[in-house]
Amino acid sequence: TIALDELAECIPDPNSVENQIDNRLLVDKLNEFLEGLQPDARRIFLRRYWEVCSIGEIAQIYGISESKVKVSLFRTRGKLRSFLEQEGIAL
């Protein structure tokens, strides 16, 4: 749940009727965002939020420090938030 809590700042509440209607748009925009990321940032982001790996697991998989993983995730969440705001998706 920690990984999902981190994303809560970037992703709208999925339970509102309006957000359910816009779900397909959100999925398309998330895919567009992910395609625009550098490969390393995309892999780290997907490991954390789709595969729900811990920070330590990600660091071990890629042979990098935990702080590098944390910084990458922080920056990518910020980029995601900005991207979604620019696309008119309310947070």
Side-chain angles (χ1 to χ4, degrees):
T1 61
I2 292 171
L4 295 177
D5 290 343
E6 292 170 0
L7 271 182
E9 302 170 2
C10 305
I11 305 291
D13 177 11
N15 297 320
S16 74
V17 173
E18 181 180 87
N19 286 332
Q20 289 177 4
I21 293 169
D22 292 337
N23 189 44
R24 186 69 215 156
L25 173 63
L26 179 58
V27 168
D28 290 344
K29 291 300 174 184
L30 283 172
N31 285 328
E32 181 181 336
F33 172 77
L34 291 170
E35 289 172 9
L37 288 177
Q38 292 294 319
D40 289 342
R42 181 174 47 246
R43 284 190 284 267
I44 290 170
F45 190 84
L46 290 173
R47 288 267 183 190
R48 180 68 171 157
Y49 300 116
W50 269 256
E51 297 178 23
V52 194
C53 292
S54 71
I55 301 291
E57 289 171 325
I58 297 167
Q60 185 176 20
I61 289 167
Y62 295 115
I64 58 177
S65 69
E66 289 187 17
S67 65
K68 185 170 181 172
V69 172
K70 290 177 186 178
V71 167
S72 176
L73 291 169
F74 177 80
R75 289 179 179 162
T76 304
R77 286 191 312 268
K79 289 176 184 177
L80 175 58
R81 187 178 310 109
S82 294
F83 175 81
L84 293 175
E85 287 172 352
Q86 288 176 336
E87 296 296 321
I89 297 176
L91 303 179

